[in-house]
Amino acid sequence: MKVMFIVQGEGRGHMTQALALEQILSKAGHTVSATVIGTSNRREIPAFFKQKTSAELHPVKSPNFYYDKKSKSINIWKSLLFNLVRIPVFIRQLNKINRAKNSHQPDVIVNFYDVMGGWYFLLFRPKAKRISIAHQYLAEHPEFPFAKGYSTQKWAYRINNKITSFNTHKKLALSFRKLKSTNNKLSIVPPLLRSEVLKLSPENEDYILAYVVNKGYSDEIIKWHSRNKKIKLHCFWDNKEFPDEWSPNPNLTFHHINDQKFLKLMSGCIGYASTAGFESICEAMYLDKPVLMVPVKGQYEQACNAEDAILANAGIKARKFNIGLLLNYITRKHQGNSDFRTWMEGYEQLFIQEIEQLEAEAHRLKKNNPISFIPSFNNK
């Protein structure tokens, strides 16, 4: 079976999920021949992704968020305006995706929550079986804990879920905890963790690990650490204005994003502080590291992630990077995540079954309907 990925390039989560699924498919004898990955003027394809994937990479320009002057809060209206102006650019990128599809002729296309992937599924209707994978699709489950308030952002969150899964055959909702699937088109599945994470032997050393998607949050970490200089703290960020391993204070080190270094430090930390993305929280849970989650302001999905992770006993949430809250949680409240490891058992075979089942259905349809016509951009 030949597979093509379409991957959102914002943050590292969707990319590490894609790498994990590529490992699983390769082990089962399938091939990920191409990966379309979303980029923008302010983000590049990380070196770790280029090094780990064996697929041919096809970068495309895709919509992305715009932040306030402090690089902390998402400006919804500015994001909407800038992306609307760039619609002609995005249309050309859809044709680029289609050329990659025509070149590789995949049996299955997997979209990791990229807006361009959703529009491509809707407008071009590729004949390959189409799967959409993201934690965000768990919002369709009746037990999903929506963050209270934020009515406009909640509406935008649901709309984005619709867009990224336009015209898909199956949605796989990654979940912190085991929940029963409620309909045939949506399956609740464990997180996609790479084999490198599963092979780690966690220890508890003498430092806290942090990861900030937006460099604006580094000010909060530096300010807190200036009052607590005895605490060892390693922080990863995507800020090339400063050198790698920059130390504004003794015992505080900022690292450029480096996948292997990150996992090594994750394995040895006593706790993890991060914005409330999905993937790194799952890695921390698997390694039994208590988590402090600081949802990015204006990013509703992260507010929901934090609520969901708390239900799964991952840790606590806060409005700021107050590492003292995490230290207090570690000493008084953290109870471990044995249920999470149980939920992860046999997850590789589960993903193979979901994808192979769709491909088998496609073969049956071809056999029963050898001649078919589906109007789409491909036929124009």
Side-chain angles (χ1 to χ4, degrees), residues 24 29 84 87 228 237 258 282 289 312 356-357 366-367 378:
I24 293 170
L84 284 174
I87 284 178
N228 301 271
W237 64 350
N258 180 305
C282 291
K289 306 296 181 180
E356 288 183 347
Q357 182 179 351
K366 287 179 181 178
K367 185 176 180 180
N378 284 324

Side-chain angles (χ1 to χ4, degrees), residues 10 42 64-69 71-80 153 213-214 217 295-302:
E10 183 83 17
R42 68 178 185 84
N64 57 271
F65 292 119
Y66 286 84
Y67 296 87
D68 62 10
K69 293 180 180 179
S71 295
K72 290 174 64 176
S73 176
I74 287 175
N75 187 319
I76 295 294
W77 299 113
K78 185 177 179 181
S79 298
L80 181 62
Q153 293 179 25
V213 174
N214 310 320
Y217 286 106
V296 172
K297 294 177 183 179
Q299 195 163 345
Y300 181 72
E301 68 180 68
Q302 290 213 354

Side-chain angles (χ1 to χ4, degrees), residues 54-71:
S54 60
E56 182 177 304
L57 293 180
H58 298 265
V60 297
K61 299 293 183 183
S62 65
N64 57 271
F65 292 119
Y66 286 84
Y67 296 87
D68 62 10
K69 293 180 180 179
K70 295 182 179 179
S71 295

Side-chain angles (χ1 to χ4, degrees), residues 31-277:
T31 302
V32 179
S33 60
T35 293
V36 173
I37 184 163
T39 64
S40 71
N41 292 333
R42 68 178 185 84
R43 67 176 189 259
E44 301 176 346
I45 303 174
F48 82 86
F49 190 80
K50 294 179 182 178
Q51 293 165 1
K52 293 292 183 180
T53 183
S54 60
E56 182 177 304
L57 293 180
H58 298 265
V60 297
K61 299 293 183 183
S62 65
N64 57 271
F65 292 119
Y66 286 84
Y67 296 87
D68 62 10
K69 293 180 180 179
K70 295 182 179 179
S71 295
K72 290 174 64 176
S73 176
I74 287 175
N75 187 319
I76 295 294
W77 299 113
K78 185 177 179 181
S79 298
L80 181 62
L81 177 61
F82 273 77
N83 288 317
L84 284 174
V85 169
R86 289 173 59 80
I87 284 178
V89 174
F90 299 144
I91 291 174
R92 291 195 294 271
Q93 301 305 294
L94 290 175
N95 284 298
K96 188 175 180 180
I97 296 173
N98 196 50
R99 288 195 295 271
K101 186 273 296 181
N102 290 338
S103 174
H104 291 272
Q105 293 293 313
D107 303 296
V108 175
I109 304 176
V110 181
N111 183 27
F112 290 88
Y113 206 66
D114 190 76
V115 170
M116 298 296 288
W119 283 113
Y120 177 69
F121 285 178
L122 178 68
L123 298 177
F124 285 78
R125 300 184 185 181
K127 293 181 180 179
K129 282 295 182 177
R130 304 174 291 278
I131 301 173
S132 298
I133 298 179
H135 172 63
Q136 287 87 341
Y137 300 133
L138 198 65
E140 298 180 23
H141 194 278
E143 294 184 39
F144 184 74
F146 286 104
K148 295 180 180 179
Y150 311 100
S151 57
T152 301
Q153 293 179 25
K154 180 179 179 180
W155 172 83
Y157 177 54
R158 285 178 150 169
I159 290 295
N160 202 52
N161 284 356
K162 294 285 187 184
I163 293 172
T164 58
S165 60
F166 275 149
N167 201 28
T168 194
H169 294 103
K170 190 66 175 283
K171 284 178 277 190
L172 302 183
L174 307 175
S175 176
F176 291 119
R177 54 207 170 98
K178 188 174 183 177
L179 297 170
K180 290 184 178 180
S181 299
T182 55
N183 65 68
N184 293 331
K185 199 170 181 179
L186 177 72
S187 290
I188 313 302
V189 293
L192 277 163
L193 297 185
R194 294 161 297 153
S195 60
E196 293 92 331
V197 178
L198 306 180
K199 293 175 182 177
L200 291 172
S201 299
E203 298 178 356
N204 288 324
E205 299 183 23
D206 60 348
Y207 60 87
I208 296 290
L209 177 65
Y211 170 65
V212 290
V213 174
N214 310 320
K215 60 184 180 181
Y217 286 106
S218 61
D219 294 338
E220 294 180 4
I221 291 176
I222 294 171
K223 185 176 180 180
W224 180 89
H225 193 268
S226 295
R227 302 189 301 267
N228 301 271
K229 293 182 179 178
K230 292 183 179 181
I231 304 297
K232 291 183 180 180
L233 181 57
H234 292 275
C235 182
F236 283 82
W237 64 350
D238 188 13
N239 186 357
K240 299 300 172 62
E241 295 176 8
F242 292 86
D244 191 18
E245 299 190 355
W246 174 63
S247 294
N249 300 327
N251 290 326
L252 172 60
T253 305
F254 281 85
H255 305 267
H256 290 171
I257 294 176
N258 180 305
D259 198 48
Q260 293 304 310
K261 186 192 292 186
F262 178 84
L263 290 181
K264 181 179 179 180
L265 288 171
M266 172 73 84
S267 180
C269 72
I270 58 172
Y272 177 57
S274 175
T275 47

